[in-house]
Amino acid sequence: MPAVSKGDGMRGLAVFISDIRNCKSKEAEIKRINKELANIRSKFKGDKALDGYSKKKYVCKLLFIFLLGHDIDFGHMEAVNLLSSNKYTEKQIGYLFISVLVNSNSELIRLINNAIKNDLSSRNPTFMCLALHCIANVGSREMAEAFASEIPRILVAGDTMDSVKQSAALCLLRLYKTSPDLVLMGEWTSRVVHLLNDQHMGVVTAAISLITCLSQKNPDEFKTCVSLAVSRLSRIVSSASTDLQDYTYYFVPAPWLSCKLLRLLQCYPPPEDGAVKGRLVECLETILNKAQEPPKSKKVQHSNAKNAILFEAISLIIHYDSEPNLLVRACNQLGQFLQHRETNLRYLALESMCTLASSEFSHEAVKTHIETVINALKTERDVSVRQRAADLLYAMCDRSNAKQIVAEMLSYLETADYSIREEMVLKVAILAEKYAVDYSWYVDTILNLIRIAGDYVSEEVWYRVIQIVINRDDVQGYAAKTVFEALQAPACHENMVKVGGYILGEFGNLIAGDPRSSPLVQFNLLHSKFHLCSVPTRALLLSAYIKFINLFPETKATIQEVLRCDSQIRNSDVELQQRAVEYLKLSSIASTDVLATVLEEMPPFPERESSILAKLKKKKGPGAVSVTELEDSKRESGELNGAGERGPDPSVMAASNASTPSPSADLLGIRSAAPVSNAPASAGSLLVDVFSEAGPAASSGAVNDDGFLRFVCKNNGVLFENQLLQIGIKSEYRQNLGRMYLFYGNKTSVQFASFTTTVSCPGELQSHLNVQSKPVEPLVEGGAQIQQVLNIECLTDFSDAPLLNIKFRYGGALQNLTLKLPVTINKFFQPTEMASQDFFQRWKQLSQPQQEAQKIFKANHSMDTEVIKAKLLGLGMALLDNVDPNPENYVCAGVIQTKSQQVGCLLRLEPNAQAQMYRLTLRCSKDSVSKRLCELLAQQF
Amino acid sequence: MIGGLFIYNHKGEVLISRVYRDDIGYVLLQQTCGKSSRFLGNSCYLGVNMRNAVDAFRVNVIHARQQVRSPVTNIARTSFFHVKRSNIWLAAVTKQNVNAAMVFEFLYKMCDVMTAYFGKISEENIKNNFVLIYELLDEILDFGYPQNSETGALKTFITQQGIKGQHQTKEEQSQITSQVTGQIGWRREGIKYRRNELFLDVLESVNLLMSPQGQVLSAHVSGRVVMKSYLSGMPECKFGMNDKIVIDKQGKGGASDDAGKSGKQSIAIDDCTFHQCVRLSKFDSERSISFIPPDGEYELMRYRTTKDIILPFRVIPLVREVGRTKLEVKVVIKSNFKPSLLAQKIEVRIPTPLNTSGVQVICMKGKAKYKASENAIVWKIKRMAGMKESQISAEIELLPTNDKKKWARPPISMNFEVPFAPSGLKVRYLKVFESKLNYSDHDVIKWVRYIGRSGIYETRC
């Protein structure tokens, strides 16, 4: 852009600005501005013609005033006039004003667009650039509508100047970002891609931004850019530092373009063409080689540019994840940076290494840097770098170095920053669990964790310890001992008390043999913490006490005494009071046998995704790479808690059901299993799980007879519901066709895997009814609902119902469910209105004995007229008034539509209120229909 | 109680900062430093605290994007009370639930004290006198509680003379102590004047909001009685005015019937406050105002009336919009008081629309000018007698704008000064008794003056 020459400077503007700057107070400034505004208004008054210079000057002043934060509501017209000036400076100011101040004002927009159009079609490159900049700066939808079709033409036209092409590319990018639907590349695609071959580096740099954005949206269309980008990259990389003249930045050839090219390549998988791939690998190797070369300049800009390319290349290598050689080289390069004195470099190196660690090729290479990383964690000054170091340690952890890493992280935790403590705690907990070879180590680690950073140990962490201790017989004794020792510390964290209470309540007997930890000592130790704890912990401790009564009858008197004291039994907290009262009663009334059954050891927890992992995932957001990687290796930990599962004892479950379903941490209903603890449905879901896992065998038959019958007279509702799944139905029928929507709702917070449904027509039903269904998604997320559509065609009358079979995997166990679909013959009824005479005439016509079906039955429901009417209407027949001489009776008529035939049906229902009986008579033109209808209806009233 | 007091210049730089309590700024600090400061706890040293409170006010009030109009600002549960004197901001800061009126009273008093010591409150004066100001602040506020702020008393022991000049004898020192700590802290003993003189000014400002049709929407007078006394010894004064309650009481007692004779006699005072020298117990029981006056100038009482106000001027506006680009304004003012009296410094301010591009004004009396910087036509008349009328007419040209916002038509405001009290207050007597010295009430020369000024005197158009 040509600089404004001195002679062209606007003196009035300079004076005005210096006046404003010299104002002593805000009031003075406002006064000065008001004066100026009045002056400009009088100048802009219609009767005088202003020359371009003064127009420009005043528009500039207005702009300045606007930028100071005052409203400008005039002068737009003058600014638009400036657009049509032939002087660059005037046009520039006009465009500046427009792009800063324009709003979607209809009349002006048209004028502005016109001016822009003129400039775009002019041959003057500076004017074209100004217009393009204005479009990009405003970037509104209106602008996009007006010019989206024109700019690509300018961009690819052969005779456009390079500078205009650059502006056009960037302008198009901006429009594409604001309203992608309006920018249609279509025919231009290949020509835009070929801009990568342009002679002018500036054009390539501008075009590549556009191409990267476009190819992220529709990669297929721009596939051809890969080979072009590779060749362009290789030309840049191999060029000497002086070849590119203007585009060499501190001895680095075209660093911005290189970075952008590498970033573009990251949108695509590795090129399939061997030659291209070879060339690309060569480029990447060259880049890595160059990093080893001594710097050509000591300036920081030189190293920044070089490193920018290097990091971008490394992320491309990581993206491809297919070249072991390159991956290891990248890792080594990053290893060098780990010790660099530049903090930013160390940060970036740690961050990139985190992603490298997840690649199988480079995992080992990353591991070699463990000492440096641990050192970084301890000595880094910058907290964000320490955070990255912690992330990397987490990512590089595997069975071989788990003990070392966990120990280091634990020791660091004592001095860690508060902001990352919680995350660190979660990470330590996960690593400890995942790579635990020996459970005593695991228990030690977690207890240590609670001791060091109790405040930051979330519920999930200590839930998990308990789950694991319960599921593993071999650590229980050790856990009890360790917990007992940990509790002896004068001040221990509440979470420790929780774990202690739970574990001693369950397994206190395992250490009771030692006189130093005799039952009474255990109890006294726990109770000494009682008063310092919050309500949920106290509740948990009360439960532990009642378990003690079972484990050690000798403590009964002491514990009863405690429960009986006023502070428990009259506690102001309802939960505590209830527990105290109930446990006291339970301990005094129930016999030892009952007590033993009720308070038996907890059954093992079902295996599922670690709740801690879920929490960490939630915390990190979906972007975290290293975490997803962990999930795969989750199977390793299967042995940790999958083994040694015993059948659940029904009596325990009964007992646990009877206990108050408290939302607080409950000994009997610990809800740690739910991975996302804030999902409302998950509270207490553990108990449900235990049931459902025992359940599937029983539920394999068609279990919903009752549900099925409910749908005879209605089309929508809930077909089936258990603790896991809810199936809703919505259906509509017309003539002999029907459509049914099935809604499968996952009531748990855990995903259902391999979810399949099949609809079958058993036996001869196949020839009577035609049911088509679309397959459903195999995965149902926790809490989600999926929909399935069934199309039903009635070929001829039928009496059976189609069966719906649902199979899915929940928490490892296969669930199988078969349901009768509520498709009954009456769904295909067409109501028929008829007069009394007609009815009796037809009634008489259908007088053959097999055409009639009659049933006398007792009323199951109240004999309310409205209810009966509603049911009959729901049946699908027309309810006829004034037909039967007895007004108490109900008379209906309808035609069943099937593909092959139509069946006329007449119905008469005679209630007897005194006897609470009904007599139902059906006459149909087909005998099987009468019988089936009669069966169906008899159970409805 | 006041936690701290800051004085800023217009740039928001702190000229004076005095912190009385540590609590201010703590929350502000938390706000700025984020979570981690929770762990710093009370170890945050005072300097950090203060800085934050100081900055919070600067950022949120002085440099606020929108002009802050409320005198009380709450930032992070800390209250800032400010008053502005020309380009100087005085801000009192507190975290407690204080009596806001007390804080403002204090701030005004503080301004008075500073003016009495070094004249106009300006950045330069404050910079030149900062030691003195700190000394004053130490004296008039203690742990955030306001103390003696009587200029006369302060001047006896906070002086601007050098150490040598300040050298006082033990006797003098003990005299100051006994005075400051004594029952009558506002007057020292042994004052002697050759001529016992007394000046009494009744200063009133009349506020009005009137509808275009001439209906009074709200009106009140806030008045002050300012005295300047040069009396010897420890005189006992008694001040009487035509307060309705007193007059009625006397009327009932049958002592005098001159209440009925001279037209509008008594005024109903809505509320009043007195200088600390007035014996409130006597006022409560007898409604008589008796006091031992301080020496020099002071404000004896402040009052407010809302009934039977004499409105000195009536403004009759007439605004006509002629098309989109022209506006015709005609304003008539009528003076409404005795023809023998002269109103002075009359100024009528007629607001103009924001898109005014030109103004033509014709007025018969005075001078009128369009002031673009204030978006108003200002019409000035030097003098005007009672029961007169004058008018101005203006043609305003407008520039067509693209937004359809209608002009809000702000009210026409007016300024003036009249030589009577618009509330109708009359001083009935001011008696001086001095039993120990040999002068009587008659020997004292007394001067009484009434000045009525406009407060916010607006008429909608």
Side-chain angles (χ1 to χ4, degrees), chain A residues 561-578:
Chain A
E561 196 53 46
V562 168
L563 288 175
R564 203 177 286 127
C565 77
D566 275 358
S567 64
Q568 310 297 354
I569 213 156
R570 299 222 175 116
N571 197 299
S572 59
D573 187 89
V574 172
E575 177 68 30
L576 290 182
Q577 193 185 53
Q578 187 176 357

Side-chain angles (χ1 to χ4, degrees), chain A residues 10 217 256 336 426 435 505 527 545 563 587 611 623 651 736 764 786 790 882:
Chain A
M10 291 166 278
K217 286 276 158 59
W256 280 277
Q336 288 179 14
L426 281 176
Y435 300 113
H527 198 58
Y545 296 169
L563 288 175
S587 65
S611 52
S651 63
N736 65 328
E764 57 179 9
I786 58 166
L790 303 182
N882 308 324

